[in-house]
Every structure is written in structure tokens, then in C-alpha cells.
Amino acid sequence: MNRLPVQERPRWIAEYQLQGLVTLPEPPAQQSPSPTGIPNPDIADIDEESVQSVINPGAMKILQALAANYPEYIRIDGAWIDELCDAASNQNMTLRSNHHFYLSGGTQSGKSTLAGVIINKIGAKSQSPAIVIGSDPKDDVTRWLCKFSRKFDGMKELKNWITFATDQIDKQKARVSIVGGECQGVPELFLAQDEVDSVFGGGKGLPGMVDADTAKDLQGFWNYIIKFTAGLKGHGLFMGQSPLSGETGFSRPSLKNVCFIAMGQTSSYILDHPQDFVNVKKEILEMLRQACELLDKAGVRYALVIPTRSNPFVALIPEFDIKGLEQKQDSKPNNDTVNSSKNNQQSSQQQVDWYEEIRKWATGLGRRPHFQEIKQKWHELTGQELNEKGVTLLLENLGYPDN
């Protein structure tokens, strides 16, 4: 900054919201001339705290002022993600909202991390071990902040992903049919799809990798998830770099059931296309646009969020306790729960062994186990007591459906 021409300083202050310039001490005198052709820069000690104290203070001051004037539209707290997830996991099914999420943003914008946080936060409130299945067309290069019950990596696995996920939705329907619409004891079912816009490609797929028929099948499958699985404790999590163009394949009716989170600069698309969204009030669009431009310039990580049944708002992305969230996934299920299926519960090797042991025991019987028999055997193996619903689910997944 000391080297910045004086006449340039007002423009930098205005453009980058710098309220002051760091004054560095004069550099020490050069002890010896630099070798010919090699520049010898002046070096001075830098007080890092002093530097940080003046980095974009104007941006945060303006943002705080906006937040004070528009508290429902500008969020600078970290509670917004909890509020969205609480609404999606309310055990009173009639009060649930934000069932499905679409995360839009560029490479390394944090989509997969945020999706993992959402899965963890909602899954933590699941009444049975949560089922997490997904498709990552990038061949398992994404670092996900969640553990999958089953994951399909690569473009070639897209068809198998559709078949398997559809079967899991059917199994979820069977669970709900036993207990009724309140879904008591039913696990949360997560269906995660990455690279939505790439694999759909406006209905044409990805030349040489995803054919048009598969792209259309995916489109139908995604819209099926969005429209018909919310009442089954189902959650679709979709990620892509195109916010809401025809590249994604979502139908207009489906959009009303999706909570959109646009990371960083992709939020400009949403602000420029308000007609594509529900509940976007025209009178606040300009204020939101100014806030997004301010955050972009300041290099602050943020998201423009349009939750279901609510108004959009700009929010800072909080820092997540990634290590803590990952550790929590290894906790044992509650006493009244049971593995949903061999493929759907891989979070603990010990749990998988229990399942195999009881399968071997049931096979050795040569008949359908009685209710009390399987309940007692499960208690012997795990020390856990199964309730009636747990026994029913265990029998179902051992191949003995309720007749």
C-alpha cells in the first residue's frame, strides 16, 4: 500500500472498502547492491494484526447496517443453516419444510461440504439409522462430509444409481405404510446427486459419457424425488454449477418444493431471474444484489438462500466443526432402531457383523423366525431391545415380509 500512487488511493478505498492504509516502517538500508538483473525488494516487518484490522472493515460495516435494517433478508449469524435443517427434520410431518435442497456454485465453492453438513444435521434427528445414498459422477474425488450407506461413483454408474435409489424409495414407502403418515420410527432417507447440470446437459447428457436417454431418465427421477418423497422423510440434495437454467432439468412445479442455496457469485443469476423463483419480492431484489456485490468484492464466503415457503436472504457461510461432525457419525443407533438393509448400513463394522450373524441364524432355522425369537436373538447379539417396528423392519430386510 505504501507503494500505491497517492492519486490511486481514493479509487482503491472506494472499490475495496478500505477505510485506511497500512503504514509500514521504513525498510532497512540495503547492505549491499543486488546482483545485476535480479531485483532486491525492500523488506519490512509486518504486524499481521494491524493488517487484518483494516482489511475490508467497510464491507462488514455496510453489511451489518443492512442486516440491522433488513434482519429477515441479511443474515450474518451462523444459525440460518440450523433453522433450515430444523425445519426439514421436524418430527411433526405437517410442519416440515425445506425437504429438498439445490446447492449451486463453482468449483471449490463448498457445495459438497455444505451438503454433508445438511445431511449430518438432519440425519442426527433421524428416528432410525439414516439412509444416505448418492451419485458422484466424478469417480469418488469429492471429499464428502458424510458417510454413504451406498454410493455410485462415475458416469457409467448413473443407470445403476437410478435403479437402486428407486428401489430404496419403494422400501421407504413400505415402512411408511406400516406406521402411517406421521412416519413414526421411519429413518430419514437422503438421495444426493452431484453434477446435476453436467450429467443432464439440457436433456442431451454429456457427449461420449452420458447418453440422452439416461439424461432424461435422471430428469424424471429427480422430479419424482422432489414431488413425491417429502412425505416419506425423503430428502433430495442436488449440486451443480448452473443455478436454474434448462441445464438442470427441474420442472417448474418441482421448484416450489426446493430450497435453493446459491454460493457466491452464482447468486447473481438468481437475482437476475426472479421469475424463476417463488416468494422473491421485487422490492428487495436490488438490496440483495447490492449485498451480494459487496460480499463478492470483499471475498467473503456467502450464500443467497431461497428457502421453501419463505423469502430469500443473503447469509454468511459459517465455519463448520468438520472433525466433530465426522466423529458423530460413528455413534451407535438408538435402542428402538435396526439396520434398514445390508447395503444401507455400513457405518460400523460391528453393526454389519450383527446383521450377518442374525442372517446366518435365521437361515439355519430353515423357517420364518417368530417375533419373540428374533427379538431375543437380536438382544443376545447387540444388547439392544427391539420394539415391534424394529422387528418388522428386520424381518422385512431378512426376506420375510409381513404377510
Side-chain angles (χ1 to χ4, degrees):
M1 285 301 190
N2 289 345
R3 300 287 176 171
L4 194 65
V6 174
Q7 63 271 20
E8 282 290 299
R9 295 187 183 189
R11 181 177 69 81
W12 280 62
I13 291 173
E15 183 171 350
Y16 294 102
Q17 303 300 318
L18 295 172
Q19 300 304 304
L21 299 176
V22 181
T23 301
L24 301 177
E26 287 297 319
Q30 279 185 240
Q31 301 299 320
S32 60
S34 58
T36 304
I38 302 177
N40 191 348
D42 297 334
I43 300 174
D45 293 330
I46 297 176
D47 182 349
E48 184 65 24
E49 289 187 7
S50 297
V51 175
Q52 292 297 334
S53 67
V54 295
I55 290 180
N56 301 311
M60 290 308 298
K61 285 183 179 179
I62 295 174
L63 193 65
Q64 288 167 351
L66 285 170
N69 292 329
Y70 304 95
E72 68 264 60
Y73 302 131
I74 306 291
R75 301 290 299 270
I76 57 176
D77 59 87
W80 63 271
I81 186 67
D82 290 310
E83 292 176 13
L84 294 182
C85 293
D86 288 344
S89 56
N90 195 314
Q91 295 306 323
N92 183 336
M93 297 299 291
T94 61
L95 298 179
R96 281 200 175 200
S97 60
N98 305 324
H99 310 277
H100 313 293
F101 298 84
Y102 183 81
L103 280 66
S104 172
T107 303
Q108 300 297 317
S109 63
K111 299 188 299 295
S112 298
T113 299
L114 188 56
V117 169
I118 291 172
I119 291 173
N120 275 282
K121 287 183 177 292
I122 298 175
K125 300 182 180 181
S126 180
Q127 294 180 332
S128 313
I131 302 168
V132 185
I133 59 177
S135 165
D136 186 358
K138 296 190 295 295
D139 285 311
D140 202 20
V141 298
T142 301
R143 182 183 181 276
W144 287 87
L145 183 59
C146 60
K147 292 186 178 179
F148 286 79
S149 305
R150 181 72 185 274
K151 187 158 167 276
F152 294 82
D153 292 312
M155 303 284 183
K156 294 180 180 179
E157 286 291 314
L158 286 170
K159 289 185 178 180
N160 294 333
W161 147 245
I162 296 174
T163 302
F164 184 86
T166 302
D167 179 62
Q168 295 307 307
I169 294 173
D170 290 341
K171 288 183 177 180
Q172 187 81 336
K173 287 181 180 178
R175 297 182 191 106
V176 173
S177 68
I178 295 174
V179 299
E182 286 302 310
C183 301
Q184 288 298 320
V186 174
E188 303 289 341
L189 173 63
F190 298 92
L191 302 111
Q193 174 73 69
D194 202 357
E195 302 294 341
V196 169
D197 47 343
S198 296
V199 296
F200 180 65
K204 299 178 181 179
L206 199 60
M209 304 187 79
V210 181
D211 59 73
D213 289 340
T214 299
K216 290 296 180 65
D217 289 342
L218 283 166
Q219 178 191 29
F221 173 60
W222 298 336
N223 285 287
Y224 172 63
I225 291 173
I226 294 170
K227 289 182 179 178
F228 300 113
T229 64
L232 305 173
K233 287 190 173 180
H235 308 275
L237 284 98
F238 307 94
M239 287 141 280
Q241 297 192 30
S242 178
L244 196 61
S245 68
E247 297 296 309
T248 61
F250 295 132
S251 68
R252 287 299 297 271
S254 296
L255 300 181
K256 297 179 181 179
N257 301 319
V258 177
C259 173
F260 283 88
I261 303 179
M263 322 285 274
Q265 295 179 342
T266 55
S267 61
S268 61
Y269 178 94
I270 291 179
L271 294 175
D272 291 336
H273 298 77
Q275 69 278 5
D276 290 339
F277 299 89
V278 290
N279 299 325
V280 178
K281 295 181 179 179
K282 292 183 178 179
E283 57 267 28
I284 66 167
L285 283 178
E286 187 57 35
M287 181 270 299
L288 290 175
R289 184 176 288 105
Q290 291 175 11
C292 288
E293 290 176 356
L294 184 71
L295 290 166
D296 280 341
K297 286 184 178 180
V300 177
R301 294 189 69 211
Y302 72 94
L304 176 71
V305 183
I306 302 184
T308 308
R309 303 178 192 168
S310 185
N311 295 312
F313 56 85
V314 176
L316 300 188
I317 297 177
E319 293 295 323
F320 301 114
D321 178 13
I322 294 178
K323 185 176 181 181
L325 281 170
E326 289 178 330
Q327 289 174 340
K328 291 175 184 176
Q329 297 176 80
D330 293 325
S331 60
K332 293 182 180 179
N334 295 329
N335 288 343
D336 63 346
T337 61
V338 65
N339 296 341
S340 297
S341 72
K342 181 179 179 181
N343 283 328
N344 285 344
Q345 185 59 41
Q346 299 288 342
S347 64
S348 166
Q349 183 61 43
Q350 189 180 13
Q351 291 175 18
V352 175
D353 290 341
W354 292 340
Y355 188 92
E356 287 301 318
E357 286 296 321
I358 206 162
R359 176 181 287 279
K360 292 176 183 176
W361 168 79
T363 302
L365 284 178
R367 58 174 172 79
R368 176 191 174 93
H370 298 306
F371 183 95
Q372 288 299 330
E373 285 180 322
I374 198 165
K375 185 175 182 180
Q376 181 179 351
K377 188 64 178 178
W378 183 262
H379 184 266
E380 290 175 3
L381 291 171
T382 68
Q384 298 175 349
E385 290 288 343
L386 283 178
N387 62 12
E388 183 176 351
K389 295 171 187 172
V391 174
T392 301
L393 283 173
L394 185 54
L395 285 169
E396 169 192 332
N397 288 287
L398 287 172
Y400 302 104
D402 187 1
N403 294 324

